[in-house]
Amino acid sequence: MIDEIRLRILQRNSVIQDVGAALLPKLFRGLPVIGDKPCPDGCKKCAEVCPTDAIKTDPLSIDLGLCLFCPLCEEVCPEKIIHYTNNFNLAVDKREKLIVTKETEAVSPEKASEKIKKYFGKSLKLRQISAGGCSGCELELNALSNVNFDMGRFGIEFVASPRHADGVVITGPVTKNMAHAAQICYDAVPNPKIIILFGACAISGGIFQDSEETERKFLEQNKIDLFIPGCPPHPLTLINGLLNWLDKK
Amino acid sequence: MNFLTVKNGEVFYRNEIEFLNRNDFQDSVLNALTSGYRMIGLFPVDKKNPNKIVSILSDSVSSSLYIIGCEIPGNKLEFESFANQFPQTNYFECELAENFGYKPVNHPWLRPVRKQNIILGNQLYKFFNIDGDEVHQVAVGPIHAGVIEPGHFRFQCHGELVYHLEINLGYQHRGVESLMLSANPNQRIILSESIAGDTVVGHTYAHCSAIESMTDTQVNLRAQLIRSIAEELERIAMHLSGLGGIANDIGFALPAAAYGRLRTLVINSLAFLCGSRFGRGLFVYGGVRFDFNDENLKQIKGNLEIIKKDISAINDFFFSSTGALLRFENTGIVSKDFAVKIGLVGTAARSCGIELDTRIHFPYGAYRYFPVSPVTLSTGDVFARARLRALEIDESLSFISEQLENLPNGKIISDLNKLRINSGVISIVEGWRGEIVHTAFTDEEGKILQYKIKDPSFNNWYGLSLALRKTAISDFPLCNKSFDLSYAGHDL
C-alpha cells in the first residue's frame, strides 16, 4: 500500500489542464504560414521538393491533407516564405479548408449542427479503424487516453465494438486488403454516425497516394465529418478539433 | 564454399555474387544453415527477373554476412525446401513463393504471407483445423478490440487451452518495396519513416546507411551519435509503451499510467530535438538535419533525469507484485532450442537466452566506437520478455547520458555522392524490436533495382504462434503484447 502511494505521489498531476493553451516545442511543425514576400521569379523549389505534391505555386498554397509536415519546403525556400509554426489547431470539417494560402491565419472547423451537438455533445464514443496505418497515428490515438491528455474527461472515448460507437476514426491510406473490413466495421456502427480521418494517409493517401495497393472508394462514398491533418497528427490536434467542432470550449 | 562475404553496410558489386545452379545452391545454403548461420533474406536480385535469386545468411560469431546466388533457367521456378530441417527458412520460402511464383518442393506448410487465403498464385488456402470432442475454433480480427493495427488470428482450442494459433496478416500491405523503386530520394526517406511508425528511427537509419554505403559517403561522428541517441530514445519510448501495455493487459492501472507518463517525456525529448515525437524529419542522407544546442540539451537532460529518478521505483513496484508475476511467469514460453530453430530475433530472442544484438554482433555507426552491453534472460516467458525491456531501458539511459556529455564537434551533414552502379549493400540496424535488414541493389545506371526490407516482426510472428501452444486463450493479449510485433512492418 505504501509503495502504491509513493508511486502515486511520483505521478504528481501530469494532466494538461487547458488543452487549448498547451505549448508545443518550438521545432514542432504545425500550421504553416506563407509570408507576404513574393516568390523569386520562376522559383518552384518547394513544390519540387515536396514528397507528396502538396504545394502549388502561383499563387503559393499548401494542401494540409497531403502535407506530411516534413521540414523540406521550409528548408529549401530561399526567401524563408514558408514557415511551420507550432500551432497544433489544424482540424477542419471540409476538405477544401485544408488548403493554406497567403491569407490563411488559422484553420478551424465549422461548429457542428445542433442535431450532432445534441447527439454527441456530451458523450462521443469512437471506434478506430487502422487501414494501413503504420502505427504512428495509432500510437498518438492511444496517447489520447494517457494521463497527460486524458480525453475521457471530455466524454470522448475509444470503444472496442463498433456497436458501441458513435463514429469511426480512420487511419492509414485504406489498403485493398482492409477496404472490405473497414466497410463492415463502418456499417456496424448504428446511425447517426460520424467519420473522422486521422492523418495524411487517411485524408489523401499521403506518401502512399500512388500505391497500387490502396482502395479508397469507401472514403469517397461517405461524408467525412472531420479531417485531422498531420503525420502523425498531435493528440492535441484531435482533442481541440473535436472540442471546437462540438462547441465544448 | 562460394559465398560472397561482406560486413554490415559494406558495399559490393553485383557481379561478385556467384550464381550457382539449383543443386549447388541448395547444397551451399544447407551447408551454411548447418554451420549455424541464420537466413536473413531470400529474393530475386531484380524484381522483374525472378530467375536469379540470392540467399543472404548471417553469422553473428564472425560478424559476417554471406551471399550466394542461384540461377534457375526456364519457367520451372522450384527448389528443394530447407524448412523441414531448418524451420527458420519457412517464412522466407513462403514469401518467395507468394511474390515471385516459386515452388519450394516438399515445403512442410506453405502459407500466405500477405495475401488473403491464397497460395501458389491461385490455390485456396485453408486454415489448419483440429477436430474432436470439445475442440473449438476462435477467429479474431482483422479488427481488434482496441486502437491497434489489423491482423487475423485463428485459435484451435480445447477448452481454455490453445492447441494451435495461426496468424494471417497482410491487411496493412501498402506496397512499400515497390514504391521504393519509383520514389525520389526525398520520398524514399519518408517511406522508410512510414514502414513501421513505431520504429521510425530504426528503419530510417537502416535505409540511410544503405544509401550512404552505396554512395561512399562518410557520416561524421557527431551525426552518428545523434542517430544513435535518437535510436536509443526510440527504444526507451517503445519499451515504456510496451511495459505500459503489458500492465494494462493484466488490469494493473497504476504502473500502466506511470509508464505512460514517462513515455511522454521521452517522445517529447525527440520533439525537442527534431520537432516530431517519433523522430520524423531527423534523418537525411549523409547525417542528420537537427543538432543539439544548449536549449534542447537542457530540456532533454531534464526529462531524462525525471525518468532515471522514477523508473526504478515503477519497475520495483511492477515486478515485485505477486499478482503480476503470477500472470507473467511460465506464460507463453518459447524455449531457447525452439527460438534458435525458428530464427527469432531481437528482444524475443534475447528473452530466450540467445545472445543476438546487431549493435554488438554487427556493429554500425556510433556503436562501433561506443559499444552497449548485451542483456539476455533465459526463461523465454512473458516475464522474461517484459523484464528484458525494463533492463534495456536502463542500458539505453546510461548510453544516452554518457554520449550526451561527450558529443564531439563536427558537421552533421556530409555531401552525398552518386549511387554506385551495379552494386549492392546489406544494412542491418537493431531497432527496439530487433534486427532490421534493408538490402538494396543498383542497376547499370545507378538506379535502385531492388529494395528488400525485413522487419524483425517478419521472424517473430511465428514465435508468438508457438508461445501460445498449451497456453490459455485468455493469456493471448498478454503474450501478444509481450512480443509487441508490428503489423505494418511485416506487411510492408
Side-chain angles (χ1 to χ4, degrees):
Chain A
M1 189 65 199
I2 303 255
D3 287 340
E4 263 156 324
I5 293 167
R6 202 175 290 145
L7 211 57
R8 181 61 194 87
I9 293 169
L10 282 181
Q11 282 290 86
R12 288 171 288 266
N13 187 1
S14 307
V15 70
I16 300 169
Q17 294 294 349
D18 184 351
V19 288
L23 200 61
L24 293 185
K26 248 186 358 205
L27 285 175
F28 176 81
R29 292 176 292 278
L31 181 72
V33 288
I34 298 175
D36 277 333
K37 264 203 242 170
C39 294
D41 277 348
C43 177
K44 289 188 181 336
K45 281 185 176 164
C46 53
E48 282 160 11
V49 84
C50 180
T52 52
D53 286 326
I55 302 179
K56 297 274 168 289
T57 51
D58 290 322
L60 190 58
S61 71
I62 306 177
D63 180 354
L64 298 185
L66 279 162
C67 180
L68 304 178
F69 297 82
C70 74
L72 282 165
C73 54
E74 183 173 355
E75 186 178 78
V76 84
C77 178
E79 298 292 327
K80 301 283 160 243
I81 293 166
I82 300 175
H83 171 61
Y84 282 83
T85 67
N86 61 355
N87 179 357
F88 49 75
N89 283 308
L90 299 164
V92 296
D93 59 326
K94 290 200 174 63
R95 181 72 177 85
E96 55 272 19
K97 282 190 182 175
L98 289 174
I99 313 288
V100 168
T101 62
K102 219 166 245 185
E103 283 73 42
T104 312
E105 281 167 6
V107 295
S108 63
E110 200 77 30
K111 302 279 177 234
S113 67
E114 286 306 317
K115 199 173 152 195
I116 285 182
K117 273 194 268 181
K118 191 178 150 220
Y119 278 126
F120 304 134
K122 290 197 172 126
S123 155
L124 178 64
K125 308 288 174 197
L126 297 167
R127 169 66 235 194
Q128 185 260 354
I129 305 174
S130 172
C134 67
S135 197
C137 286
E138 288 75 2
L139 281 167
E140 288 299 44
L141 288 173
N142 272 318
L144 284 161
S145 315
N146 72 16
V147 287
N148 308 102
F149 300 108
D150 187 20
M151 194 167 63
R153 71 188 134 146
F154 305 110
I156 308 169
E157 273 174 342
F158 290 104
V159 291
S161 168
R163 290 292 197 208
H164 301 163
D166 304 313
V168 292
V169 180
I170 297 173
T171 57
V174 189
T175 54
K176 274 182 188 161
N177 292 349
M178 260 312 276
H180 182 55
Q183 180 70 55
I184 296 176
C185 183
Y186 177 71
D187 290 344
V189 178
N191 281 318
K193 53 189 164 188
I194 62 168
I195 301 181
I196 300 172
L197 300 186
F198 191 81
C201 286
I203 297 174
S204 65
I207 192 72
F208 300 108
Q209 58 184 319
D210 297 327
S211 169
E212 288 169 4
E213 304 294 337
T214 59
E215 170 56 72
R216 297 174 55 79
K217 225 185 296 163
F218 165 70
L219 297 179
E220 284 149 23
Q221 286 164 348
N222 290 290
K223 182 187 174 291
I224 309 300
D225 295 277
L226 216 50
F227 298 86
I228 316 290
C231 182
H234 196 280
L236 289 173
T237 307
L238 179 64
I239 294 198
N240 284 294
L242 278 171
L243 295 183
N244 275 333
W245 185 58
L246 294 170
D247 207 6
K248 289 173 84 155
K249 275 180 133 177
Chain B
M1 285 201 269
N2 313 305
F3 289 97
L4 168 64
T5 311
V6 291
K7 299 283 175 193
N8 182 9
E10 183 186 343
V11 68
F12 53 87
Y13 285 105
R14 258 167 48 213
N15 60 14
E16 291 178 81
I17 305 173
E18 197 164 335
F19 287 89
L20 309 172
N21 66 34
R22 185 182 354 223
N23 285 341
D24 291 347
F25 170 78
Q26 282 167 191
D27 289 347
S28 296
V29 174
L30 265 182
N31 255 330
L33 291 167
T34 313
S35 317
Y37 299 176
R38 235 163 21 84
M39 188 173 273
I40 59 169
L42 181 69
F43 50 84
V45 180
D46 178 354
K47 250 187 116 161
K48 292 181 272 312
N49 175 16
N51 293 69
K52 276 175 99 169
I53 55 166
V54 287
S55 168
I56 306 170
L57 297 128
S58 87
D59 174 29
S60 50
V61 179
S62 62
S63 304
S64 297
L65 305 166
Y66 300 94
I67 311 165
I68 189 77
C70 175
E71 188 163 10
I72 299 176
N75 291 329
K76 215 175 171 200
L77 297 175
E78 290 184 357
F79 63 92
E80 185 73 25
S81 169
F82 310 108
N84 287 302
Q85 218 177 327
F86 299 98
Q88 50 150 316
T89 67
N90 149 41
Y91 216 37
F92 289 96
E93 292 175 14
C94 292
E95 192 193 30
L96 188 67
E98 181 168 296
N99 290 354
F100 301 101
Y102 269 81
K103 190 176 177 210
V105 180
N106 294 325
H107 188 283
W109 191 341
L110 209 55
R111 298 192 67 250
V113 178
R114 300 181 183 98
K115 291 227 160 80
Q116 308 299 306
N117 305 328
I118 279 188
I119 49 167
L120 292 173
N122 54 7
Q123 289 179 29
L124 189 67
Y125 175 78
K126 281 199 179 131
F127 283 98
F128 179 72
N129 197 17
I130 298 178
D131 287 325
D133 287 346
E134 292 183 43
V135 167
H136 60 104
Q137 195 180 96
V138 182
V140 190
I143 296 179
H144 301 274
V147 183
I148 53 167
E149 298 175 70
H152 182 78
F153 299 89
R154 235 5 121 94
F155 300 88
Q156 309 293 333
C157 301
H158 183 251
E160 270 283 283
L161 283 191
V162 177
Y163 267 49
H164 182 67
L165 160 63
E166 221 175 316
I167 301 171
N168 203 51
L169 300 173
Y171 298 95
Q172 300 280 68
H173 181 54
R174 299 147 295 166
V176 177
E177 289 175 336
S178 303
L179 289 170
M180 273 288 185
L181 304 184
S182 54
N184 66 36
N186 288 328
Q187 292 171 325
R188 285 202 302 254
I189 292 186
I190 303 271
L191 277 170
S192 314
E193 290 174 345
S194 308
I195 292 168
D198 50 22
T199 320
V200 172
V201 178
H203 273 289
T204 318
Y205 196 161
H207 172 67
C208 287
S209 294
I211 298 296
E212 284 149 9
S213 290
M214 290 214 287
T215 51
D216 302 297
T217 306
Q218 289 293 327
V219 180
N220 262 315
L221 189 59
R222 186 178 177 87
Q224 289 185 354
L225 271 168
I226 294 173
R227 286 180 171 185
S228 287
I229 289 166
E231 191 183 323
E232 296 309 319
L233 283 172
E234 180 174 87
R235 193 180 317 279
I236 299 171
M238 286 314 296
H239 282 351
L240 287 168
S241 166
L243 287 167
I246 289 170
N248 198 43
D249 275 343
I250 58 167
F252 205 176
L254 188 53
Y259 284 124
R261 169 176 63 91
L262 293 192
R263 173 180 172 264
T264 306
L265 293 174
V266 186
I267 56 176
N268 285 349
S269 299
L270 267 173
F272 286 133
L273 172 62
C274 69
S276 155
R277 308 208 310 162
F278 299 91
R280 286 173 188 263
L282 177 63
F283 279 72
V284 290
Y285 293 146
V288 288
R289 184 177 271 122
F290 298 96
D291 203 349
F292 287 115
N293 52 45
D294 291 343
E295 192 190 347
N296 65 21
L297 267 180
K298 199 174 148 221
Q299 289 162 325
I300 293 169
K301 281 180 184 170
N303 278 356
L304 292 176
E305 271 320 301
I306 301 176
I307 297 165
K308 269 188 214 159
K309 206 161 81 32
D310 291 4
I311 186 85
S312 57
I314 301 169
N315 280 341
D316 288 349
F317 177 72
F318 188 44
F319 288 103
S320 63
S321 151
T322 319
L325 291 177
L326 274 172
R327 292 291 307 275
F328 296 165
E329 288 179 341
N330 296 317
T331 304
I333 299 175
V334 182
S335 69
K336 183 177 177 181
D337 185 39
F338 249 34
V340 172
K341 273 191 187 142
I342 62 171
L344 286 191
V345 297
T347 51
R350 293 195 288 277
S351 318
C352 312
I354 301 174
E355 249 193 61
L356 178 66
D357 187 325
T358 312
R359 294 171 296 170
I360 297 160
H361 296 106
F362 300 92
Y364 55 96
Y367 300 112
R368 279 180 294 193
Y369 317 110
F370 308 105
V372 289
S373 309
V375 186
T376 51
L377 290 171
S378 59
T379 47
D381 51 4
V382 170
F383 172 78
R385 287 187 290 273
R387 186 72 191 148
L388 186 94
R389 298 179 79 173
L391 295 172
E392 288 195 355
I393 291 172
D394 294 342
E395 187 58 33
S396 297
L397 279 172
S398 63
F399 178 87
I400 296 174
S401 306
E402 210 177 308
Q403 302 315 325
L404 280 181
E405 297 304 325
N406 300 307
L407 280 173
N409 293 323
K411 275 203 310 182
I412 53 167
I413 303 183
S414 316
D415 294 332
L416 198 73
N417 307 312
K418 271 191 165 164
L419 279 169
R420 276 203 206 182
I421 59 164
N422 290 326
S423 299
V425 70
I426 302 158
S427 167
I428 316 182
V429 161
E430 187 75 15
W432 63 269
R433 202 180 262 124
E435 173 197 81
I436 295 167
V437 185
H438 284 216
T439 310
F441 291 115
T442 55
D443 64 11
E444 55 279 357
E445 287 167 23
K447 286 206 191 96
I448 295 181
L449 179 71
Q450 170 69 297
Y451 201 89
K452 198 82 194 73
I453 300 156
K454 186 196 73 67
D455 190 85
S457 312
F458 187 83
N459 306 79
N460 287 359
W461 276 111
Y462 196 26
L464 175 62
S465 270
L466 292 184
L468 253 286
R469 287 197 177 170
K470 293 194 187 156
T471 296
I473 190 169
S474 47
D475 278 329
F476 172 69
L478 184 56
C479 289
N480 188 23
K481 195 69 212 175
S482 74
F483 275 87
D484 212 348
L485 302 175
S486 170
Y487 301 72
H490 168 281
D491 294 348
L492 297 173

